[in-house]
Amino acid sequence: MIRRFAQYYKPYKKLFFFTLASGVLAALFELAFPLAVNRIIDDLLPNENWDWIIWGSAALFILYVLNGGFHYVIAYWGHMLGINIETDMRRELFERLQQQPLSYYDETKTGHLISRLTNDLMDIGEVAHHGPEEFIVAFMTLIGAFTIMLTIDWRLAVMTFILVPVFIALTYVLGKKMAYAMSSMFTSIGNFNARVENNITGIRVVKAFANEKFEMERFAEDNGRFRATKLESYKIMALHVTSSQIMMKFLLLFVLIAGTWSILNNRITNGEFVAFVLLTNVMIKPIQQLNAVMEMYPKGIAGFRRYLDLMDATETDPSAPTGKTVEQVNGDIRYEDVSFSYNSQTPVLQNINASIPAGTTAAFIGPSGSGKTTISNLLPRFYELNGGQITIDGMDIQEMDMVSLRSHIGIVQQDVFLFDGTIRDNIAYGRLDAPDEEILEAVERAQLTDVVAALPEGLDTKIGERGVKLSGGQKQRLSIARMFLKNPAILILDEATSALDTETEALIQAALEELSEGRTTIIIAHRLATIKQADAIFVMTKEGIVERGSHGELMAENGLYTRLYQSQFPFEYA
């Protein structure tokens, strides 16, 4: 696990060694300060040359400022190293999520995935920066300080800090700026989480339109903004740390001058003066650093284990980059001895055979749990068969490139998913490079023109998360417009109108009839009124397809379809 974690440092080796070298130099400066103080005590103080003492103190202050620069590098550039590693991990994890099949999302909670992409990786980023660097530097400083302190009288007490009120004021001013920066960062986190949740909850739509690459590009933008806001917050933190360091050294310099004056007046001994400087400047800080590293280490390691669990998931979406790219299909579909189960235990479909000629409409009906929707989900390979094969124009869909296959299939479902954005954005999702003229044509063909015209911003009207600002019928028509824009050869209508009122259903049905014209259409329905004109109707139960034929043929058989029809339209038989 440590070896795998270390590989994320490879692209940033120079940055890592730069910050580590700065930390080592800062530690050496920390250990050099007591030696410089000793020189003042041993060489300058006995001569009572006040001018040289002032010049020596000025030189020490310059060293303190340089040391503050090293601490700035550690605080800002070191955090940049951690953020870069965190950003890379987040990108890899998101790409991994895009590669997961729908069966993975059936078993995984969205909140857990978002937590892994945010909180876990933030903890990992902190460990990536603070872990190795601060441990090495703090350990070196602690050993060096302890070696020097072996020669010091441990009984000396620590003097009172004089500039504490200044520290408090500085913390207050920079704290306000830090609060603003953190607020901006949390806003970015919220936007980032919204993007991820939008993608994951709408993964069926993403995959249906084969827009994984587009989602990765949009994600990269939010990911970059997330990185920028974090860097800004850490920049202020670095200024705080740097200012505090300089102020602390200035305090020590003040103590140096005051202590020297006290020594000249025989108020304290040389040993007490040196002990104070060593204890306050060298010993405490590395202990605090080691404590901080030990506190963050368990969270970071736990997060990295969770990260590896997802990255090492064996189940992947069989996108088949070596599959055949099919530029055009007629839409002749055949299910041949198809068998499938979701959990490898309870079969949903067994030895299903169905033929749907190109350009015809086929309807699958039957009670819930009979496998109707599963039939439609297997065609775009949302799930993989356990047995048999499905062909389009005689070609096994397993041999097709996944993007190519799904580009020829359009799906309109009862539960329409819309992304947070404008009407234009959601319609253009059907074909990302579509010009405005074609978008407007799709709006007209979906009978959405009046709705768009009535909105204050037209196509640029924001519809809210999951389209909350639109009615059910408007959302459905928007999804149909999106499908007109995609213009697939094969159309799947999965309970597309079952949740609508009668008037709205009539409008939607008219749009669907135009959409279905000239395409191979598969309809999953409970309302038999919507499928009476289908070329072929397949009646399904848990035993499989039990009846097939046109509406007239099935009514003549006086079987299950007849009983279902009579139950929905009893007035025709009253």
Side-chain angles (χ1 to χ4, degrees):
M1 187 173 65
I2 293 176
R3 188 165 54 247
R4 292 185 65 176
F5 188 75
Q7 72 181 3
Y8 289 97
Y9 285 88
K10 290 182 179 179
Y12 310 107
K13 288 187 292 187
K14 293 182 179 179
L15 182 58
F16 172 73
F17 286 114
F18 174 57
T19 56
L20 181 60
S22 298
V24 171
L25 288 173
L28 292 176
F29 270 52
E30 295 285 348
L31 295 176
F33 296 145
L35 300 178
V37 172
N38 278 323
R39 298 302 299 171
I40 291 177
I41 295 175
D42 294 338
D43 297 338
L44 302 181
L45 189 58
N47 296 329
E48 298 185 4
N49 190 331
W50 186 251
D51 291 339
W52 278 104
I53 290 174
I54 294 298
W55 282 107
S57 299
L60 273 178
F61 181 71
I62 294 173
L63 292 180
Y64 294 154
V65 173
L66 291 175
N67 192 43
F70 289 128
H71 281 286
Y72 180 88
V73 170
I74 296 169
Y76 179 66
W77 295 96
H79 276 106
M80 179 182 290
L81 170 66
I83 292 172
N84 287 347
I85 291 175
E86 176 187 335
T87 302
D88 290 345
M89 287 184 173
R90 187 176 291 113
R91 185 194 67 249
E92 290 185 8
L93 189 56
F94 186 81
E95 290 177 356
R96 183 64 171 172
L97 290 176
Q98 293 299 295
Q99 295 167 0
Q100 296 299 313
L102 288 177
S103 56
Y104 174 83
Y105 295 95
D106 291 341
E107 304 295 332
T108 307
K109 293 183 178 180
T110 303
H112 289 181
L113 297 179
I114 293 178
S115 177
R116 294 188 185 191
L117 279 163
T118 53
N119 297 338
D120 286 1
L121 287 178
M122 284 192 285
D123 291 336
I124 293 172
E126 286 297 299
V127 170
H129 161 44
H130 292 287
E133 176 190 294
E134 291 202 1
F135 182 81
I136 294 172
V137 173
F139 185 76
M140 288 177 55
T141 306
L142 190 59
I143 295 299
F146 181 72
T147 303
I148 297 174
M149 291 181 69
L150 288 176
T151 62
I152 297 175
D153 188 348
W154 56 271
R155 294 170 297 182
L156 296 177
V158 177
M159 297 177 63
T160 304
F161 285 88
I162 300 175
L163 298 181
V164 171
V166 179
F167 288 153
I168 295 175
L170 179 65
T171 301
Y172 175 77
V173 172
L174 290 178
K176 291 181 66 176
K177 294 184 177 180
M178 191 65 185
Y180 177 81
M182 292 298 292
S183 177
S184 299
M185 188 178 76
F186 290 145
T187 299
S188 295
I189 292 174
N191 294 335
F192 171 79
N193 286 344
R195 169 67 61 210
V196 175
E197 186 175 1
N198 253 309
N199 177 270
I200 293 176
T201 55
I203 195 66
R204 187 181 299 272
V205 179
V206 175
K207 290 183 174 293
F209 289 96
N211 282 338
E212 289 90 342
K213 184 178 179 181
F214 172 68
E215 286 297 314
M216 291 178 191
E217 292 172 353
R218 293 209 298 179
F219 174 84
E221 294 178 3
D222 285 339
N223 200 19
R225 282 193 289 269
F226 187 23
R227 174 182 179 274
T229 54
K230 288 201 72 174
L231 281 177
E232 183 61 25
S233 65
Y234 281 119
K235 184 176 182 180
I236 297 175
M237 183 185 296
L239 289 172
H240 188 191
V241 171
T242 303
S243 302
S244 297
Q245 286 291 327
I246 295 175
M247 291 294 294
M248 185 181 297
K249 302 310 178 185
F250 180 76
L251 171 63
L252 292 175
L253 180 58
F254 174 80
V255 172
L256 174 62
I257 297 174
T260 303
W261 183 86
S262 298
I263 291 175
L264 291 177
N265 288 275
N266 296 320
R267 297 183 61 177
I268 60 173
T269 66
N270 294 350
E272 291 171 339
F273 174 61
V274 174
F276 170 74
V277 174
L278 292 175
L279 284 171
T280 56
N281 189 56
V282 179
M283 189 67 183
I284 297 177
K285 184 177 178 180
I287 295 176
Q288 293 174 335
Q289 288 177 323
L290 289 176
N291 287 337
V293 171
M294 294 305 295
E295 287 176 4
M296 72 178 66
Y297 180 80
K299 290 195 300 182
I301 290 301
F304 190 62
R305 284 199 181 99
R306 284 159 55 88
Y307 171 83
L308 292 182
D309 287 342
L310 201 154
M311 293 299 295
D312 293 340
T314 56
E315 190 176 26
T316 56
D317 195 356
S319 297
T322 57
K324 297 179 181 179
T325 299
V326 182
E327 299 294 339
Q328 186 175 358
V329 299
N330 294 321
D332 183 43
I333 303 170
R334 294 182 183 274
Y335 290 79
E336 300 175 1
D337 295 321
V338 170
S339 297
F340 174 78
S341 63
Y342 286 100
N343 54 16
S344 301
Q345 295 178 353
T346 305
V348 178
L349 301 175
Q350 285 186 302
N351 302 320
I352 296 297
N353 290 277
S355 177
I356 307 172
T360 64
T361 297
F364 290 84
I365 68 166
S368 298
S370 59
K372 305 185 300 299
T373 297
T374 302
I375 284 280
S376 64
N377 284 337
L378 293 177
L379 185 60
R381 289 176 62 189
F382 289 156
Y383 303 92
E384 295 301 308
L385 303 177
N386 298 129
Q389 69 172 0
I390 302 174
T391 63
I392 298 177
D393 297 346
M395 179 182 294
D396 193 331
I397 61 173
Q398 299 286 338
E399 300 175 0
M400 292 185 183
D401 171 70
M402 186 72 76
V403 174
S404 175
L405 169 66
R406 291 174 179 170
S407 69
H408 300 301
I409 301 173
I411 304 175
V412 179
Q413 297 172 308
Q414 171 187 338
D415 184 17
V416 177
F417 184 91
L418 300 176
F419 294 97
D420 184 16
T422 66
I423 291 178
R424 184 194 309 275
D425 294 337
N426 277 276
I427 295 176
Y429 208 85
R431 197 170 78 248
L432 299 175
D433 58 351
D436 280 354
E437 303 80 54
E438 295 187 22
I439 293 176
L440 290 172
E441 181 183 353
V443 167
E444 183 179 356
R445 298 181 68 183
Q447 302 192 24
L448 202 59
T449 304
D450 293 341
V451 174
V452 173
L455 296 172
E457 298 181 59
L459 288 175
D460 295 317
T461 300
K462 294 186 177 296
I463 61 175
E465 188 173 0
R466 298 182 68 92
V468 295
K469 297 180 181 179
L470 301 178
S471 68
Q474 290 171 341
K475 288 193 287 186
Q476 191 65 275
R477 276 178 279 177
L478 197 154
S479 73
I480 294 172
R482 184 164 58 189
M483 206 56 60
F484 272 117
L485 198 62
K486 182 177 182 179
N487 193 28
I490 300 170
L491 182 63
I492 298 174
L493 306 178
D494 188 356
E495 301 285 357
T497 63
S498 62
L500 304 175
D501 60 81
T502 304
E503 183 178 355
T504 304
E505 182 181 8
L507 291 173
I508 301 298
Q509 198 62 43
L512 289 175
E513 288 175 3
E514 181 177 353
L515 179 62
S516 302
E517 188 175 347
R519 311 176 198 275
T520 304
T521 304
I522 296 176
I523 302 176
I524 310 299
H526 280 106
R527 296 187 183 182
L528 303 189
T530 61
I531 54 108
K532 288 176 63 175
Q533 305 303 320
D535 298 292
I537 300 173
F538 298 89
V539 183
M540 298 189 65
T541 65
K542 292 184 178 180
E543 284 70 40
I545 298 176
V546 295
E547 295 178 9
R548 67 185 71 198
S550 66
H551 172 74
E553 293 170 344
L554 292 176
M555 290 298 291
E557 290 183 10
N558 199 28
L560 176 59
Y561 179 82
T562 303
R563 293 195 297 274
L564 291 173
Y565 190 84
Q566 290 175 346
S567 66
Q568 291 191 20
F569 303 98
F571 60 87
E572 293 186 14
Y573 300 90

